[in-house]
Amino acid sequence: MTAHAVRTGVWFIGARGSVATTATAGCAAIAAGLHPATGMVTETPPFADSGLPPLTSLIFGGHDTIDCPLPKRAEALAAGEVLPYGLPSAVRAELGAADREIRPGGPLPGDTRSDEELITAFAADLDDFARRHALARTVVINVASTEPAPGDGATRLPASSLYAAAALRAGCSYVNFTPSTGLRSPALRDAVDSCGLPHAGRDGKTGQTLLRSVLAPMFVQRALPVRAWSGTNLLGGGDGAALADPAAAAAKNAGKERVLADTLGSAPEGEVHIDDVPAMGDWKTAWDHIAFDGFLGSRMILQTIWQGCDSALAAPLVLDLARLMARAHETGLTGARPELGFYFKDPDGGPAALSEQYAVLVAFAGRLRAAL
């Protein structure tokens, strides 16, 4: 069977959200030659001939707790200028096909099923998806809204961990693009250790933290002590609403702060604030204020402003991860994949500096190429 004949499943947790919708529509647009693959690292020369599944071979599905059809969600994103004008109509058939593969998630309010019953049901959805489409393998990717970290003494698994456990049970590789717990629940440790599947995460690095991971090494390499590093995020949409919950915001900010601590050697003074501004829709503005010392104690300031759309930043990375993880699974790699730390705020090992992470990722592409 040729590589082009092999089908690979991409199963999104949060399949009707902005990131998943943008990724699904974007994959269809690129595959049809309607738009270039801007932002997709796996479409650059270092990743050529690595055996990655073609975009035309990806089959999309997922779980979600909302019922807005993907074509309608895409139209809303186009109205907000997240997707290009006319794109939802151009890829309506592909969006409709993906929408028919979305299954109810959970637990919803009033759901009386146990954790085991939910995991079994989610895994059955994955098995059915793979069987009906004759998939060689499926990558499960969590792109749902951030959930609060479980409290001490919690007796139930958080939703992200239920989906992650189902992925392992169905024999699927797993990517956590969110700050949510996922596979890192202590209750799943034995299942993770024995699954024999590749996995990667956590918390995709798309905007403010991406810039922090580039700037922080500069201060270290130029011997410029950072005295304080503060930041503010203004955003709307589903993420803004979810992160209005202080517990969810704390889970999100932990990754932003970790990048600085890992690179600078300790966490500088300052905090990150997240403000929900519904009028901004799916767009965001991130501002950073960095106070540092120069020669002879001169006090200096660097300020940055990042304005963009999170789902448009995240979607190409999600497609990259689907392809890389599918190829890793195909070659028999197992366990946490630190080579993919380039994509995450809180990766499974590896260096913290983006330039070093990129070098590791390119070397990984060479390893995948050599396995052909």
Side-chain angles (χ1 to χ4, degrees):
M1 184 178 291
T2 66
H4 286 271
V6 173
R7 291 182 170 188
T8 298
V10 180
W11 188 267
F12 287 131
I13 309 304
R16 292 191 170 111
S18 295
V19 173
T21 305
T22 304
T24 303
C27 181
I30 296 167
L34 301 177
H35 288 272
T38 305
M40 285 193 66
V41 179
T42 53
E43 285 293 297
T44 60
F47 297 83
D49 303 319
S50 296
L52 302 180
L55 294 176
T56 52
S57 74
L58 302 183
I59 308 296
F60 293 94
H63 283 116
D64 210 320
T65 56
I66 62 175
D67 57 9
C68 178
L70 276 184
K72 185 175 181 180
R73 183 73 183 103
E75 289 171 0
L77 291 174
E81 300 183 341
V82 176
L83 294 178
Y85 175 79
L87 182 62
S89 296
V91 298
R92 181 171 295 275
E94 291 86 346
L95 290 170
D99 191 67
R100 289 190 290 274
E101 297 298 336
I102 298 176
R103 301 293 177 262
L108 291 167
D111 195 332
T112 60
R113 289 176 292 177
S114 67
D115 285 357
E116 176 58 29
E117 288 172 325
L118 287 163
I119 292 168
T120 299
F122 296 156
D125 290 335
L126 285 161
D127 289 336
D128 178 64
F129 178 62
R131 178 186 55 78
R132 287 186 295 101
H133 292 285
L135 302 176
R137 59 197 57 83
T138 299
V139 183
V140 175
I141 306 179
N142 184 6
V143 288
S145 297
T146 300
E147 66 187 13
D152 293 338
T155 58
R156 296 289 300 266
L157 287 172
S160 65
S161 296
L162 297 174
Y163 293 122
L168 301 188
R169 185 170 299 182
C172 303
S173 54
Y174 175 81
V175 174
N176 188 1
F177 203 72
T178 79
S180 301
T181 305
L183 289 179
R184 297 195 185 182
S185 169
L188 299 183
R189 186 172 295 119
D190 290 344
V192 172
D193 291 343
S194 62
C195 70
L197 295 163
H199 55 88
R202 152 176 85 166
D203 198 3
K205 185 164 54 186
T206 56
Q208 182 182 46
T209 309
L210 174 67
L211 195 57
R212 286 180 166 210
S213 68
V214 173
L215 290 174
M218 176 192 73
F219 290 106
V220 174
Q221 293 160 5
R222 293 296 297 269
L224 299 171
V226 174
R227 292 184 288 108
W229 197 318
S230 299
T232 293
N233 284 264
L234 308 177
L235 70 160
D239 274 352
L243 294 173
D245 178 349
K252 184 73 172 177
N253 285 338
K256 295 177 180 290
E257 295 165 357
R258 188 178 298 107
V259 167
L260 296 182
D262 288 349
T263 305
L264 300 176
S266 61
E269 292 182 8
E271 297 179 349
V272 178
H273 297 276
I274 299 177
D275 294 328
D276 178 26
V277 185
M280 295 184 69
D282 286 281
W283 294 83
K284 70 177 293 184
T285 296
W287 169 76
D288 270 25
H289 180 97
I290 308 160
F292 63 99
D293 290 335
F295 189 54
L296 303 179
S298 57
R299 299 218 160 183
M300 303 189 189
I301 298 293
L302 172 64
Q303 293 184 347
T304 67
I305 298 176
W306 179 292
Q307 294 178 307
C309 173
D310 258 359
S311 56
L313 290 165
L317 309 186
V318 167
L319 293 174
D320 278 348
L321 286 163
R323 303 173 80 195
L324 289 162
M325 190 58 73
R327 178 68 177 133
H329 191 184
E330 181 185 14
T331 58
L333 296 176
T334 63
R337 305 315 315 168
E339 303 94 340
L340 302 183
F342 173 77
Y343 293 99
F344 299 104
K345 297 182 182 75
D346 184 16
D348 296 307
L354 191 72
S355 59
E356 295 174 0
Q357 291 174 334
Y358 178 72
V360 170
L361 181 64
V362 170
F364 184 55
R367 181 179 176 184
L368 296 178
R369 187 179 301 111
L372 288 172

